[in-house]
Amino acid sequence: MKRIFLGTLVFCTLIFSACKKDPEVITSDAISDFAPFAVGKYITYQLDSLVYQNFGTAKTIISYQVKYEVSDLVKDNLDRPAYRITRYIRKAAPNQWVPDNTFSAINTVLSLEFIENNMRFLKMKLPIKDGYSWKGNSYIDTYSFNSNVKYLDDWDYMYDSLNAPMTLGNITLDNTVKVDQRDEIIGNPSDPNSYSEINYSSENYAKGIGMVYRKLVHLEYQPPTPGTGGAFSDGSFGITLTMIDHN
């Protein structure tokens, strides 16, 4: 009886092994392919900044040039290697660069964390493939009473147009990926008598270079009240970064 039982057990094991599917193998570029940080590396952008003046009633575009340069390799508060990035700004090419901000980038191999204005964004995450999504703002306080970035809550980042060519002015890029982050409209922006909100954000990364284009818009419109006309709230803004040079 023991021999019969053992033979039956072996037979069943072979049957289940034959029916078991092989795990799906997912190939992916590395984070460092699209975000190759190294001390001394820089990217220069045209910065077009959308601001509202005259108590939120007048839209103005202010343009600068900014350079993001990797200035040092340090340790973050979790003792992980982190790249310190210094941003320089000037009005136009004849002017001298002036440092005005610093950021941090951490490549964890599985993700790219970017710390900007004390907020930690998950800019990229493996695998890099069309349609893959993740919660890019999950480390940001968007829920407390005093949070002034509630509009960043629950954003789904998603890869789109992997390996696509892209043209920025006279620069042609052969291999880029787009990260869709938000495309949201609340209310009816064409109705001046009702509340509306627009949140849009996306970034493009070029292989071997880094982020080459970024567009971020947050507009919050308050309708008129007795004695007060309609206007965009404080904190409404937009920025567009377009790469114009890199090393």
Side-chain angles (χ1 to χ4, degrees):
M1 292 296 292
K2 290 182 179 179
R3 291 182 178 178
I4 295 174
F5 176 77
L6 180 60
T8 302
L9 179 61
V10 172
F11 176 76
C12 292
T13 301
L14 292 173
I15 291 296
F16 283 121
S17 298
C19 294
K20 185 178 179 180
K21 294 182 179 179
D22 292 331
E24 182 184 1
V25 178
I26 299 175
T27 59
S28 170
D29 291 301
I31 296 290
S32 57
D33 290 334
F34 287 95
F37 293 103
V39 175
K41 178 175 175 58
Y42 69 83
I43 301 178
T44 305
Y45 303 93
Q46 172 74 21
L47 167 62
D48 296 315
S49 178
L50 167 64
V51 296
Y52 282 88
Q53 300 174 331
N54 194 24
F55 302 102
T57 61
K59 181 173 72 173
T60 303
I61 301 291
I62 303 175
S63 296
Y64 302 93
Q65 289 182 354
V66 291
K67 179 170 67 172
Y68 286 58
E69 182 172 352
V70 181
S71 54
D72 202 0
L73 178 61
V74 296
K75 295 283 189 177
D76 72 354
N77 57 357
L78 299 176
D79 202 37
R80 301 176 300 175
Y83 290 98
R84 179 182 292 130
I85 300 169
T86 302
R87 187 179 72 180
Y88 299 87
I89 190 168
R90 66 185 181 187
K91 186 61 180 176
N95 302 115
Q96 295 294 317
W97 289 112
V98 177
D100 79 324
N101 210 339
T102 58
F103 313 113
S104 295
I106 302 99
N107 183 350
T108 70
V109 178
L110 296 178
S111 65
L112 173 62
E113 299 179 12
F114 194 85
I115 302 173
E116 179 178 3
N117 300 326
N118 295 318
M119 295 185 292
R120 185 183 301 269
F121 297 87
L122 281 174
K123 294 288 191 175
M124 304 186 80
K125 193 173 182 180
L126 291 186
I128 302 175
K129 67 172 187 175
D130 283 336
Y132 180 72
S133 66
W134 66 99
K135 298 296 184 181
N137 300 345
S138 57
Y139 289 117
I140 299 173
D141 174 18
T142 60
Y143 43 84
S144 69
F145 179 77
N146 293 323
S147 173
N148 59 1
V149 290
K150 295 183 189 300
Y151 65 92
L152 294 176
D153 186 56
D154 201 35
W155 283 20
D156 290 306
Y157 288 31
M158 184 176 70
Y159 293 122
D160 180 19
S161 306
L162 179 62
N163 300 324
M166 186 177 188
T167 300
L168 298 172
N170 60 357
I171 300 175
T172 300
L173 303 166
D174 296 327
N175 191 330
T176 69
V177 62
K178 183 180 181 182
V179 181
D180 293 317
Q181 298 171 345
R182 195 67 160 182
D183 191 358
E184 175 186 52
I185 297 177
I186 300 172
N188 182 5
S190 63
D191 181 3
N193 294 310
S194 65
Y195 173 88
S196 65
E197 186 174 336
I198 296 175
N199 296 302
Y200 177 86
S201 185
S202 68
E203 296 177 346
N204 295 76
Y205 293 81
K207 204 166 192 177
I209 300 175
M211 191 186 74
V212 296
Y213 183 82
R214 181 188 186 192
K215 184 173 183 179
L216 170 63
V217 177
H218 168 62
L219 304 180
E220 185 178 342
Y221 176 79
Q222 298 291 344
T225 57
T228 305
F232 287 90
S233 300
D234 291 342
S236 294
F237 72 98
I239 61 168
T240 302
L241 288 169
T242 306
M243 185 184 74
I244 56 177
D245 185 29
H246 71 93
N247 65 353

